Amino acid sequence: MRSANLSVKQLRAFIALAELRNFTKAAAACHLSQPAFSLLIQAVEQEVGAKLFERDTRKVELTAAGGPLLDALKPLVRDFDEAVQKARQAAAVQDNRVAIAVLPSVAARLLPLVLPEFQKLYPDANIRILDLSSDACLELVRSGEADIGVISENPRDPQLTCHTLLEEPYYIVCSKDHPLAGSDAVRMIDLLPYQLIHLANNAIVAQLLKKHSTSLRRLSTVEVESLHTARSMTEAGLGLTICAETALGQVSSPLLSAIPLNEASLLRHLYLIHRKAEGNAMRSALVELSLERMRTAAPS
């Protein structure tokens, strides 16, 4: 009898489709495009040498061959995940490593509220801070490269625990001599005569522009890769920038003014995430401290 040569990725794809009974949902759960996901399923069936699913335009059902395979593979993949997690935990305990993947504004404003107390508890901890985009932080936590993350969207991932940290308003930042600098608050429509400088991966700007697509279709925009660049361009009077309250410290300058953005329905939500698999005591302490300190922090 020939041994089957299936990857863990293929096994996960098979289990996802068997449980969700929908190609689109299963592909999304595996973070794959539908064509790529379909190729994985085809490869599994070819390797097994049997048709595992009955498909039509409305539903997907396991065949007589697929049912027993699902029963056998689910505990196998679960045991594999537990073994990998235990190996990661052992490595982390051995060298006291802890990795934190957070948005740059969180690294600058909120982590300093957490780390001094954490280091008192674990003075030998080797801390690595990865200040990246929300999507990048999410992937690092999913892969196990980061122990915890702070991101701006709820991932709704069954493999992750997600805690709501806080919500905060957005501000328009402009030069001191800008016509809007003396305003108590501004609306998006007030920005129309001016150029908007924003981060390429800033989801809030995309939401604002979509919401006001009709009224703001003539708005001039410039995309940059860092808030530092946005601040420098704004100081030079080249336009306005939008940032969350926590990020105001990163654009603080004697040459700039910050004005509340009057868009009550648009707030930035921050979430703390970590894998559901049991972590070590050091990670648990970091999660607990982060929730306690960050939730009570008043952005300034």
Side-chain angles (χ1 to χ4, degrees):
M1 180 183 297
R2 184 175 68 88
S3 321
N5 184 22
L6 293 169
S7 69
V8 175
K9 187 175 184 180
Q10 290 171 325
L11 299 184
R12 291 191 199 283
F14 168 76
I15 292 171
L17 184 57
E19 292 182 335
L20 296 173
R21 309 295 173 94
N22 181 283
F23 270 86
T24 302
K25 292 179 180 178
C30 294
H31 313 293
L32 294 168
S33 67
Q34 191 163 334
F37 182 83
S38 296
L39 288 174
L40 281 181
I41 298 300
Q42 290 175 20
V44 172
E45 291 184 322
Q46 289 173 1
E47 185 64 29
V48 173
K51 188 175 182 180
L52 302 176
F53 296 98
E54 294 289 352
R55 322 150 163 83
D56 60 32
T57 57
R58 293 180 298 173
K59 63 181 180 179
V60 176
E61 297 290 345
L62 281 167
T63 63
L69 186 62
L70 175 65
D71 293 338
L73 291 184
K74 284 180 68 175
L76 182 66
V77 172
R78 183 180 63 248
D79 290 347
F80 172 81
D81 288 340
E82 289 176 356
V84 170
Q85 184 60 24
K86 286 179 181 177
R88 287 171 176 163
Q89 290 171 11
V93 170
Q94 183 177 1
D95 59 14
N96 293 320
R97 290 180 300 175
V98 61
I100 308 170
V102 294
L103 296 162
S105 58
V106 173
R109 174 67 182 86
L110 298 182
L111 273 188
L113 305 177
V114 176
L115 293 184
E117 191 169 347
F118 176 74
Q119 289 182 301
K120 287 180 183 178
L121 293 173
Y122 295 93
D124 297 325
N126 296 312
I127 302 169
R128 184 184 182 196
I129 298 171
L130 303 149
D131 49 337
L132 300 165
S133 69
S134 188
D135 288 344
C137 292
L138 173 59
E139 289 309 313
L140 288 172
V141 175
R142 276 179 174 152
S143 69
E145 293 179 61
D147 296 277
I148 71 169
V150 177
I151 61 177
S152 59
E153 291 187 33
N154 187 331
R156 306 191 187 284
D157 187 326
Q159 302 302 316
L160 301 178
T161 297
C162 179
H163 307 271
T164 300
L165 279 177
L166 55 88
E167 60 181 33
E168 57 181 345
Y170 285 86
Y171 284 74
I172 296 294
V173 179
C174 62
S175 59
K176 290 278 190 182
D177 58 358
H178 194 279
L180 295 177
S183 306
D184 293 329
V186 294
R187 301 166 301 161
M188 283 301 294
I189 197 66
D190 298 326
L191 309 186
L192 190 56
Y194 312 108
Q195 184 161 262
L196 180 64
I197 302 164
H198 67 91
L199 300 186
N201 59 1
N202 192 336
I204 187 62
V205 173
Q207 291 179 42
L208 287 168
L209 295 178
K210 182 178 180 180
K211 179 181 177 181
H212 298 276
S213 59
T214 301
S215 57
L216 296 180
R217 58 191 168 195
R218 299 193 313 277
L219 179 66
S220 174
T221 62
V222 174
E223 288 188 359
V224 296
E225 294 297 329
S226 75
L227 203 53
H228 175 77
T229 302
R231 182 188 67 189
S232 298
M233 295 183 72
T234 305
E235 284 179 330
L238 296 176
L240 309 148
T241 193
I242 297 177
C243 71
E245 191 171 9
T246 297
L248 286 177
Q250 293 178 275
V251 293
S252 177
S253 166
L255 302 177
L256 299 177
S257 293
I259 310 156
L261 177 61
N262 190 10
E263 292 283 343
S265 63
L266 286 170
L267 299 171
R268 182 167 80 158
H269 299 266
L270 294 180
Y271 302 92
L272 186 146
I273 60 171
H274 57 84
R275 293 179 305 284
K276 281 188 176 178
E278 184 179 354
N280 56 44
M282 187 166 62
R283 191 191 79 175
S284 298
L286 179 59
V287 169
E288 184 177 343
L289 277 174
S290 297
L291 291 173
E292 182 180 347
R293 297 292 179 261
M294 292 184 185
R295 278 174 172 168
T296 57
S300 60

